[in-house]
Each structure stands twice: as structure tokens, then as C-alpha cells.
Amino acid sequence: MAKNEGSGLIPSKETLSRCRVLVVGDVMLDRYWFGAVDRISPEAPVPVVRVTSEQDRLGGAANVALNVTTLGARATLLSMVGCDDAARSLRRLLAEKGVDAVLGEDPQLQTIVKLRVIGRSQQLLRVDFEREPAHEVLAQMLSDFEQALPHHDVVLFSDYGKGGLAHIPRMIQLARQAGKPVLVDPKGSDYARYAGATLITPNRAELTQVVGAWPDEATLVQRAESLRTALGLQAVLLTRSEEGMTLFDAAGHWHEPAQAREVYDVTGAGDTVIATVAAMLAAGLSMRDAMTLANRAGGIVVGKFGTAHVSHEELCA
């Protein structure tokens, strides 16, 4: 791995430019329709949005990869898409943003699109276009994964529960055998499939789904440690919105209070957090130092609108 040559805690741009993160997971296209709202529909008590502009953004694991590259590191995205217009838009955006992408095509797969209708700077409606795959789509890309492994410092799995990562134990096993740190942004109630990973980053709702609600901090510490031990994880990083984030590892637990001055939109904040941790671990930082910077990045991104990311300059400011 590249060593930290930056001044202070944050690695330099030169150091980060030599770091490579392999991002594997569910990709989607975030589509925004912006418009003016001047009246209520005569057909139903809903606002009429006169669309004035449209914008496509990278979503899901593609947004995670973009967060890695925006920080200054290099990212390779491994995923599957359908043979449709949304897939073509994703490929174009990834190329424009400098994200290396290995995207397999499956004619049976519908590329996921999340359409958000925005009026008066507020999200009025979200429409999801998706279809659960009838088979494990990423399993057929296992050989691509094995070929990419030696050329990356960290492996990051971005699980959005869309079926793309139904069988990731083998990929985690291969990555750990290759000596690569494995980070997982988890989904669902079955965390057993993430066993052996280096770090998982659930939010409060996701962790509650697995270990149950905790009445106090002592119970949380006990349950997080039990989960960490049972799955053979090096650490669990719990993101807690306005409460900041807490890292549970073999040395105990470490808390960072939230740094957001103003929360505007939490869309994609989890993507920014795990991408920052991955880039910083690749640059040679400790888990706790990486968490400190991820907390700072998360505080910046929630002050932006929609699926956003944080630059190296913003992190240093």
C-alpha cells in the first residue's frame, strides 16, 4: 500500500493518486427532473411541475466509485447492467468522471433508474424503475474480479440489496486470501454473507435490523462486539446521522461527533463515508484516522443537494 506522505492527517494528492480501490456492487442511474411549480392540478390535489431541466448522476456503487476518484484516488467499478438507455448513460458518465469500469451486460437485467422530481428546491416525488434479477448477475464476473484483485489496494462491496451481491462470500474469501482489506456497505438482515470482511459500515436502521434496538450505549457496545466477533470482522463502523459515527474494533470503541453545520440532503452520504474510509486505508492510514476523515467528509456532503461527493480540497479546508 502507498504510505501517507501528506502533511498532517490527510494524505497528499500525490499519495492518493497511487491508491486504487476496487468497487463491486449494484449500480443505478440517479435521474433528476427540475421544474417550476406554479399551480395545483385540477385533476387531483397535487402540484403541477413544469420540467425545465434534466440531469443524470451516478448512483449506487457507481456513486461510491465516483466518491473515491473525487478524493483523488483511483477506482475500478465492477458491476452488471442491462442492455438499455440507462446503461449507456451510466457508461458515458463513468467515462466522463474518470472511473475505470468493467460492466458486464445482461439482456435479462433492467438497469435501475431512480427518478426524482424536484420543484422549488424540494424533492416532490421519487419513481423507481427496477426489476429484481431472476439469477445471480455478478457471479458470472468472478473471473474479472480475480483479474482485477492484484492491481488494487482495497476492495469495497456496495450492497444495495438489488440482487447483485447475493453470493459475495467467495469474492470476500478471494480478497482476504490476496491480503486486501475488504469493506462492505451492508444491506438486509443476513450479515453472515459478509463474514471475514475487514469492516462493515451499517447505519442505525440497518444495524437495528440485525441486532435489535438498543436501550442504551452499553447494550450497543455489547451487541456490536458480539456481531464483530461472530462474523470475524476487524471492525464495525456505525454511522449515526446527527450523532456522528462510532467505530467498534478489538481495542474497544471510538466515537466521532457529527460535523455537519447544516443538513440539506442525506442522499448518498453513506457512499461518501465508505469511499473515504477505503481511500484513506489504501493510503496507509489507520482505521480510526480514516474514520475521522470519513466523518468530516460525511458532514460536508449532507450540506449538498442530491447524490454528491467531496473533493480533496474540501476535505482539507
Side-chain angles (χ1 to χ4, degrees):
M1 287 189 189
K3 298 301 181 183
N4 178 12
E5 297 171 5
S7 57
L9 186 65
I10 304 174
S12 68
K13 274 189 158 184
E14 291 73 23
T15 295
L16 283 168
S17 69
R18 296 192 293 271
C19 300
R20 298 200 62 174
V21 178
L22 178 59
V23 180
V24 186
D26 302 305
V27 295
M28 56 196 71
L29 184 68
D30 284 344
R31 180 161 284 163
Y32 292 84
W33 288 358
F34 299 92
V37 180
D38 301 318
R39 62 192 179 95
I40 300 298
S41 171
E43 304 165 0
V46 294
V48 175
V49 182
R50 180 170 49 82
V51 176
T52 55
S53 64
E54 303 176 21
Q55 189 178 99
D56 285 348
R57 299 183 187 180
L58 297 170
N63 182 52
V64 176
L66 176 58
N67 270 273
V68 171
T69 59
T70 305
L71 282 168
R74 296 183 62 187
T76 300
L77 174 65
L78 183 68
S79 191
M80 292 287 294
V81 294
C83 303
D84 47 31
D85 288 338
R88 287 185 281 275
S89 293
L90 277 170
R91 291 182 186 277
R92 174 181 54 79
L93 286 170
L94 288 165
E96 288 176 359
K97 301 296 184 181
V99 177
D100 296 329
V102 181
L103 299 181
E105 279 195 358
D106 188 332
Q108 300 179 52
L109 192 65
Q110 178 183 12
T111 305
I112 298 169
V113 176
K114 292 186 177 181
L115 169 63
R116 296 171 176 89
V117 181
I118 313 298
R120 293 179 179 171
S121 300
Q122 291 186 330
Q123 185 176 150
L124 303 176
L125 178 69
R126 195 182 95 180
V127 183
D128 290 2
F129 300 87
E130 63 179 274
R131 184 173 60 241
E132 188 77 16
H135 56 290
E136 164 56 25
V137 292
L138 272 177
Q140 54 192 288
M141 297 193 71
L142 191 59
S143 60
D144 295 302
F145 179 79
E146 292 183 87
Q147 289 177 22
L149 258 183
H151 309 293
H152 293 81
D153 303 303
V154 174
V155 179
L156 191 166
F157 292 100
S158 182
D159 192 351
Y160 271 80
K162 305 301 182 184
L165 287 175
H167 296 95
I168 69 167
R170 178 58 178 158
M171 287 183 175
I172 291 177
Q173 182 185 39
L174 289 169
R176 298 303 286 146
Q177 287 174 350
K180 310 295 182 182
V182 175
L183 280 58
V184 181
D185 189 355
K187 190 68 70 176
S189 58
D190 178 20
Y191 280 15
R193 64 184 187 273
Y194 307 134
T198 308
L199 173 76
I200 60 173
T201 62
N203 59 32
R204 284 183 302 194
E206 290 164 345
L207 189 62
T208 300
Q209 191 177 358
V210 176
V211 305
W214 48 88
D216 50 47
E217 200 71 12
T219 304
L220 168 61
V221 172
Q222 183 271 322
R223 292 182 182 177
E225 178 59 23
S226 295
L227 179 67
R228 189 184 72 82
T229 303
L231 297 182
L233 308 171
Q234 184 176 326
V236 175
L237 176 57
L238 173 63
T239 56
R240 311 174 70 172
S241 300
E242 73 280 357
E243 295 177 8
M245 55 183 67
T246 307
L247 182 73
F248 304 90
D249 58 19
H253 61 283
W254 182 265
H255 183 74
E256 287 278 348
Q259 293 194 11
R261 295 184 180 90
E262 181 180 352
V263 177
Y264 185 69
D265 192 341
V266 298
T267 305
D271 295 345
T272 298
V273 168
I274 194 169
T276 304
V277 173
M280 297 309 151
L281 289 181
L285 268 65
S286 69
M287 192 80 76
R288 292 192 173 186
D289 285 344
M291 179 190 76
T292 297
L293 293 177
N295 187 50
R296 185 186 301 180
I300 295 169
V301 81
V302 295
K304 300 182 179 184
F305 177 77
T307 311
H309 34 80
V310 176
S311 68
H312 186 271
E313 289 75 17
E314 289 175 304
L315 200 60
C316 291

